[in-house]
Amino acid sequence: MTFCVLVVAKAPVPGFAKTRLCPPATPEQAAEIAASALLDTLDAAFATDGALTVVAMTGDLAEAARGSEIGRALRKATVIAQRGWDFGTRLANAHADTAAVHAGLPVLQIGMDTPQVSPALLTSAIEPVIAKASHAVLGSAADGGWWGLGLADPRQAQVLAGVPMSRADTGFRTRAALEGTGLRVGELPILSDVDTMEDALRVAAIRPDSRFATAVDAVGVVA
């Protein structure tokens, strides 16, 4: 194995998952969309040649949409618990815990709300790091955040603990924090993550045969 795909995920519990999709989605439909996004993301990670999948998980799958199916899928991954008082700290700790389990491997971290990722994209994303063309790679999201972070040394993710998350300038601040430690940071393609129903419709159109697209279609909103 040549690298780890680290998926940062939250149990898709109705009323707590993807609440910005409501309305027009119901809490149950929003949770189904989140669950489908996670399952599609895991499929892509598992199908990526040369990759070990690690999932940093939080929340109660017993209360989640598709909880049993997600639990079965997670048997193929190394599952670690998220820990920390804010999201930046949890991300930093997830990288550190991944490095502790799979020492010496570079890590490509993604979330569960870009279900359009493919094995080919994940492989190409980490390639500059494996080839030592970059110390790190960062994939910007259309909303100003970021969807993917690859690091040759996952311990360098500790800088994330000082970056405000879920802001329009999070991507800019993350790049600045990485470069501020002397890292050479490559650029990945910009992706749209799923925060609003407009986002969901746009992403579903990219993968019309996916679980995610089926869950979005069930809401009954036309693009």
Side-chain angles (χ1 to χ4, degrees), residues 142 192-193 196-207 212 216 223:
S192 177
D193 53 16
T196 67
M197 186 54 68
E198 289 76 15
D199 298 333
L201 291 167
R202 184 164 52 250
V203 171
I206 298 171
R207 293 280 308 279
F212 180 79
V216 172

Side-chain angles (χ1 to χ4, degrees), residues 9-12 56-60 80-82 90:
K10 179 172 71 172
M57 196 76 196
T58 189
D60 186 0
I80 59 178
Q82 292 184 29
R90 292 199 300 273

Side-chain angles (χ1 to χ4, degrees), residues 4 78 80 83 93-105 107 154-155:
C4 293
T78 299
I80 59 178
R83 57 186 182 87
N93 288 338
H95 279 265
D97 293 345
T98 299
V101 175
H102 299 298
L105 291 180
V107 171
R155 294 172 297 182

Side-chain angles (χ1 to χ4, degrees), residues 33-57:
I33 289 171
S36 298
L38 175 55
L39 288 164
D40 287 343
T41 300
L42 290 175
D43 279 352
F46 295 146
T48 301
D49 288 341
L52 291 167
T53 302
V54 178
V55 180
M57 196 76 196

Side-chain angles (χ1 to χ4, degrees), residues 10-14 57-71 74:
K10 179 172 71 172
V13 177
M57 196 76 196
T58 189
D60 186 0
L61 283 179
E63 302 295 327
R66 296 201 180 201
S68 296
E69 185 177 356
I70 294 169
L74 290 177

Side-chain angles (χ1 to χ4, degrees), residues 16-220:
F16 295 93
K18 292 298 171 191
T19 55
R20 289 176 61 186
L21 302 180
C22 307
T26 66
E28 290 74 21
Q29 288 172 327
E32 180 71 15
I33 289 171
S36 298
L38 175 55
L39 288 164
D40 287 343
T41 300
L42 290 175
D43 279 352
F46 295 146
T48 301
D49 288 341
L52 291 167
T53 302
V54 178
V55 180
M57 196 76 196
T58 189
D60 186 0
L61 283 179
E63 302 295 327
R66 296 201 180 201
S68 296
E69 185 177 356
I70 294 169
R72 289 192 297 272
L74 290 177
R75 294 173 188 168
K76 303 176 187 177
T78 299
V79 180
I80 59 178
Q82 292 184 29
R83 57 186 182 87
W85 52 90
D86 60 22
F87 192 45
T89 302
R90 292 199 300 273
L91 292 179
N93 288 338
H95 279 265
D97 293 345
T98 299
V101 175
H102 299 298
L105 291 180
V107 171
L108 176 64
Q109 179 230 309
I110 59 176
M112 58 181 279
D113 54 358
T114 50
Q116 70 271 46
V117 296
S118 65
L121 175 58
L122 298 178
T123 300
S124 64
I126 198 64
E127 179 57 32
V129 173
I130 294 174
K132 302 187 186 305
S134 300
H135 301 117
V137 290
L138 187 67
S140 299
D143 64 359
W146 52 271
W147 65 268
L149 170 64
L151 288 168
D153 183 351
R155 294 172 297 182
Q156 293 165 329
Q158 287 303 311
V159 298
L160 298 177
V163 176
M165 296 292 164
S166 302
R167 291 174 29 154
D169 63 351
T170 291
F172 172 82
R173 286 173 175 266
T174 301
R175 175 175 287 276
L178 293 167
E179 292 178 341
T181 65
L183 298 184
R184 186 170 61 253
V185 184
E187 187 72 38
L188 300 180
I190 297 173
L191 295 186
S192 177
D193 53 16
V194 177
D195 292 317
T196 67
M197 186 54 68
E198 289 76 15
D199 298 333
L201 291 167
R202 184 164 52 250
V203 171
I206 298 171
R207 293 280 308 279
D209 59 342
S210 63
R211 295 183 189 87
F212 180 79
T214 299
V216 172
D217 287 346
V219 179

